[in-house]
Amino acid sequence: MTSSMTHGSTLQDTPLLEIDPLLDDPGIRIIVCCGAGGVGKTTTAAALGVRAAERGRRAVVLTIDPARRLAQSMGIDLLDNTPRRVEGIEGGGELHAMMLDMKRTFDEIVEAHADPSRARAILENPFYQSLSAGFAGTQEYMAMEKLGQLRARDEWDLIVVDTPPSRSALDFLDAPKRLGSFLDGKFIRLLMAPAKMGGRAGMKFLNVGMSMMTGTLGKLLGGQLLRDVQTFVAAMDTMFGGFRTRADATYRLLQAPGTAFLVVAAPERDALREAAYFVERLAAEEMPLAGLVLNRVHGSGAARLSAERALAAAENLDEGRIVDQEAGKAAERGSTGSSPTPSAVEPVSESDQPSAPPTSQLTAGLLRLHAERMQVLSREQRTRDRFTALHPEVAVAEVAALPGDVHDLAGLRAIGDRLAGGGSAPGAA
């Protein structure tokens, strides 16, 4: 593998990810932005939504990011579980945005699939409240539930999904199936068994089953927990199969030709390693990958000046090896051609030497900053080359790093422009 990385494809050999044709394709109804945490998935999803809307699509952005940056950048006071219209969109399309409320989505499922009295019993049940708020994988499952709901409404012709900030990018694909399997007939039989057995034997059996749950459930008292479980299962017994059915349906939706996955990463080793895992997993699951969005790529307007040369020049300035050109020319004009007098070549004591002029110090500092930037560029290039050597078929769009955070629609448009350009600007900050 080492040799393939050394002699494999570089970014210049990699196909360019063309964003605008993807956004303009009416056959693409869902774009899923996925990748490791902290790589800019939320900003990418929002920028795609803005650009798609301003190119004529009726788009909605579903974000799972708990931060409020997306709402602020879109001029909305608060995003919640209901899609809200984004004002200020130019062009013929429109944009809505929403932030997933995991528990509220779970409540909506209960309300939609149970009569009012049974729904109320479920929603007030302590066991359900713990399950809906704290079970591992619930957020990813509810993101898929909400995606299925949005797609079924057919109100938008493009849904952009910002996936949950998982510990691993693979959790997003695994969790819906995992929770769907848990909430089926086997789960019902597991929880009904203690009630049928009764007594301490029943509680011992229940404790084995509860080991699969989060610490939140363990805080409930044993006897009360058993009664809560019995009440919960009695109320939900007709609903569990539907969770698995919907999870499978959404999984098939993700595999459909109308879906496009964008793996988002930063030019850093861990983020691109995670991106490589996700690319391989999408291929194994036969899910349509559009390409890789490489965020926060650094550039330089003076890339021809290497780090080594910049550092050498800075050292020369510090040591006074680079003479003042004007002073040198003046000395030449005043020369008579005779040999200099001994006094002219006498060494000057260190205490008598003038301090380095401020311009020299400033220039040396700027040269060192440039050297640091070029070292960053070199490190990013090596990291990208490792990824492209492993996956030369994956189309890539680079997004130049911005000098600050995105906080309004103009900033999202700027990100969209860079996405569509496919490459980083030479002088990117």
Side-chain angles (χ1 to χ4, degrees):
M1 188 171 73
T2 303
S3 62
S4 68
M5 287 183 180
T6 304
H7 304 291
S9 301
T10 65
L11 197 66
Q12 285 72 29
D13 305 319
T14 304
L16 178 67
L17 172 60
E18 297 183 278
I19 292 295
D20 284 346
L22 181 70
L23 297 178
D24 294 343
D25 184 354
I28 298 297
R29 304 293 302 275
I30 298 171
I31 294 177
V32 182
C33 297
C34 51
V39 296
K41 292 195 303 291
T42 299
T43 303
T44 298
L48 289 170
V50 170
R51 191 169 185 85
E54 295 192 336
R55 295 178 69 85
R57 302 294 295 269
R58 288 180 294 112
V60 59
V61 176
L62 166 61
T63 181
I64 295 90
D65 190 344
R68 295 293 183 263
R69 290 180 295 105
L70 178 64
Q72 295 166 356
S73 67
M74 292 185 170
I76 299 175
D77 292 335
L78 180 66
L79 288 180
D80 55 20
N81 218 39
T82 301
R84 298 183 181 276
R85 179 78 176 264
V86 177
E87 302 297 334
I89 294 297
E90 302 169 357
E94 62 182 59
L95 178 65
H96 287 74
M98 62 175 295
M99 183 177 293
L100 179 74
D101 184 329
M102 179 179 68
K103 189 178 187 311
R104 182 60 202 144
T105 300
F106 211 150
D107 293 349
E108 289 172 356
I109 297 170
V110 172
E111 292 166 351
H113 295 89
D115 60 69
S117 60
R118 179 173 293 189
R120 185 168 58 255
I122 295 170
L123 297 177
E124 294 173 355
N125 185 280
F127 182 85
Y128 166 79
Q129 292 171 2
S130 297
L131 175 67
S132 61
F135 189 83
T138 302
Q139 187 179 54
E140 287 86 352
Y141 181 91
M142 292 306 150
M144 291 298 91
E145 280 276 357
K146 183 56 67 175
L147 172 59
Q149 292 174 12
L150 294 174
R151 184 67 181 86
R153 287 171 62 174
D154 207 32
E155 184 176 342
W156 301 278
D157 57 29
L158 180 64
I159 303 169
V160 183
V161 183
D162 162 37
T163 57
S166 304
R167 287 176 290 104
S168 167
L170 303 183
D171 289 348
F172 175 66
L173 289 177
D174 286 331
K177 275 191 170 181
R178 189 167 61 243
L179 188 61
S181 298
F182 193 63
L183 296 174
D184 63 9
K186 296 177 183 177
F187 175 71
I188 297 173
R189 289 193 295 273
L190 172 68
L191 294 183
M192 285 301 288
K196 293 177 180 178
M197 295 170 64
R200 293 185 178 179
M203 284 310 302
K204 182 178 180 181
F205 186 88
L206 178 62
N207 288 335
V208 174
M210 290 304 101
S211 66
M212 293 182 289
M213 299 192 176
T214 62
T216 305
L217 297 178
K219 295 177 182 178
L220 298 173
L221 295 176
Q224 183 60 48
L225 173 60
L226 179 57
R227 288 190 292 273
D228 291 339
V229 168
Q230 288 178 280
T231 305
F232 173 76
V233 172
M236 292 277 286
D237 60 357
T238 61
M239 291 182 56
F240 286 111
F243 286 93
R244 179 62 182 270
T245 300
R246 287 191 300 277
D248 291 343
T250 305
Y251 210 73
R252 289 193 298 271
L253 183 64
L254 293 177
Q255 293 175 313
T259 297
F261 279 84
L262 289 176
V263 178
V264 183
E268 301 163 1
R269 181 181 300 176
D270 290 344
L272 278 172
R273 183 185 295 119
E274 194 78 8
Y277 291 153
F278 212 105
V279 166
E280 293 160 8
R281 177 64 186 278
L282 289 172
E285 298 290 335
E286 299 182 348
M287 292 187 175
L289 172 65
L292 171 74
V293 173
L294 202 56
N295 269 335
R296 303 170 189 157
V297 176
H298 293 87
S300 172
R304 296 173 67 179
L305 177 60
S306 69
E308 293 77 10
R309 289 176 58 197
L311 286 174
E315 290 175 3
N316 287 338
L317 281 171
D318 286 342
E319 295 174 6
R321 295 178 190 169
I322 300 179
V323 300
D324 182 58
Q325 297 298 320
E326 291 301 321
K329 291 177 181 177
E332 288 177 5
R333 287 195 298 270
S335 174
T336 60
S338 59
S339 299
T341 61
S343 61
V345 294
E346 286 180 0
V348 180
S349 66
E350 187 173 333
S351 60
D352 294 333
Q353 288 186 7
S355 60
T359 54
S360 297
Q361 294 175 1
L362 177 61
T363 304
L366 291 173
L367 285 167
R368 286 194 171 87
L369 285 174
H370 175 75
E372 292 177 7
R373 168 58 63 89
M374 293 307 297
Q375 289 167 353
V376 169
L377 265 61
S378 178
R379 184 169 62 250
E380 290 182 355
Q381 183 64 54
R382 290 194 302 271
T383 306
R384 294 196 297 266
D385 287 348
R386 292 191 191 102
F387 177 88
T388 54
L390 290 172
H391 299 285
E393 78 288 353
V394 177
V396 178
E398 284 191 356
V399 181
L402 290 174
D405 290 335
V406 175
H407 54 80
D408 54 20
L409 282 179
L412 292 175
R413 288 191 188 100
I415 293 289
D417 290 342
R418 295 178 184 220
L419 272 167
S424 56

